[in-house]
Amino acid sequence: VSSRGGGTTSRAKNERACRSMAMFRAVCLLAGFAVSRVTGVAVAVSAESDDSKTEVSRSRHSTWHAESERILNDHIALEMAAALQYRALYAYFHRDTVNLKHSAELFASNAKEEFEHAYQLMEYQIKRGGAVELKALESPVHEFPGTADKADARVGFESALALEKRVYNSLLAVHAVCGRHGDPQCEDHIESYVEEQVEAIDKFARYVADLDRVGPSGHAVWEWDMELA
């Protein structure tokens, strides 16, 4: 009888020990630790051990700040939206009711250029160890009706000028963030795009000036368009 009693006492002790260990494991997990089943030692759980989390790029440097990554993704979205807007301008001026062929071709070329910029900056984001996050794009404007004082061509080219200025300001914002986080390589990379934007703004400003002189006359606008060839 004493043997059976001793066995019962031993089992009870084991059960209490198991319950204590289970509680110990639960508390450790809540605190961010795991308990080894072999040694019973609590060790810190590394965030990198969670397979659900995105692995950090091996090429990422401390100068590529999270803010730089975010603002570059915002600019990539703007470049893609600009490409869509230029495609919409192309489609409008290519209509048989508008038929400004060379203006349409100019806008088609700009659409291709803006998309190439977006792609190049996506490649740069990846090279720096960042993650490209594509965002919903703004819906483009499709109609550019003229007024009594403005031809539709001037309305369209004014919208293109405003778009180029917006892209320019966005690039300056990216450049400023890179500078704030001590990233001269990013600043240098963005400056090449800034220089290109200065040229584009000047080009469209001159187109708008030309169209201001031409006025709303349909025939005069058609002749101006022919000179773009």
Side-chain angles (χ1 to χ4, degrees), residues 191-211:
E191 282 169 10
S192 63
Y193 293 95
V194 172
E195 180 64 29
E196 197 171 324
Q197 282 305 120
V198 170
E199 296 296 327
I201 290 170
D202 179 68
K203 178 178 72 173
F204 278 101
R206 292 176 185 278
Y207 287 151
V208 171
D210 288 345
L211 289 164

Side-chain angles (χ1 to χ4, degrees), residues 4 17 31 34 39 55 78 92 103 112 135 143 219 228:
R4 289 197 298 272
T39 65
E55 187 176 359
L78 178 57
Y92 175 85
S103 293
K112 181 180 178 182
K135 304 181 179 184
E143 301 295 329
H219 184 75
L228 291 177

Side-chain angles (χ1 to χ4, degrees), residues 56-77:
V56 176
S57 169
R58 292 180 179 85
S59 66
R60 187 169 190 131
H61 193 272
S62 60
T63 56
W64 193 239
H65 195 273
E67 186 181 8
S68 303
E69 182 178 357
R70 285 194 299 271
I71 199 167
L72 184 60
N73 278 329
D74 289 342
H75 184 75
I76 289 169

